[in-house]
Amino acid sequence: MSVAAVVRARAAAVLGATLVATGVATAVALWIQAGRALDQALLAAAHERAHPESSERWEVESGRSPVHTWLVNRDDPDVPPLALERALASERASCVDDGARRLCLLPAEAEIDGRERHVLVAARADRPRLVAVVGPFAIAYGVLGSVLA
């Protein structure tokens, strides 16, 4: 095999490895960003539930929000006990995966029946699916990478 052929083969291998590494890194970044965006949306919905008097309002174009919010009771069957205890103990917002759903718990002070009370607000929505988040990128990147290579 000639030196030129060896150089071409190694260059093609480096190019292929670079394209794969870039694609995987970008897909991971997209997946992480989708999770963070969901957590932010859930916390915003929980805040809205805790403070309905807030001037900031959210509108959902489809007419029905995919986020479900509620005030949590201590024995709430929809909240994992460990997550409930952790949120109450830390007095900070926390988010956990609950099967195919993401659940965020927000400790807050809310006015209920004319009195300020400590409450725990939950917000839950379906987790994004990997195929829905990364699929369109993977198809476009695969086609474009193949053409360029």
Side-chain angles (χ1 to χ4, degrees), residues 61-139:
E61 301 242 350
S62 67
R64 183 173 178 271
S65 173
V67 176
H68 175 65
T69 60
W70 71 97
L71 294 178
V72 176
N73 296 322
R74 262 224 185 271
D75 57 347
D76 194 327
D78 291 330
V79 177
L82 185 60
L84 176 73
E85 293 304 321
R86 187 174 57 190
L88 290 173
S90 70
E91 295 186 6
R92 291 183 165 199
S94 62
C95 298
V96 296
D97 290 329
D98 184 23
R101 295 180 173 162
R102 186 77 169 158
L103 174 70
C104 287
L105 300 170
L106 177 68
E109 290 186 12
E111 187 174 320
I112 300 174
D113 300 327
R115 294 180 25 200
E116 286 288 321
R117 295 185 184 204
H118 292 284
V119 296
L120 188 61
V121 182
R124 181 179 63 209
D126 291 339
R127 287 186 311 167
R129 294 178 320 138
L130 183 63
V131 171
V133 173
V134 178
F137 163 76
I139 291 170

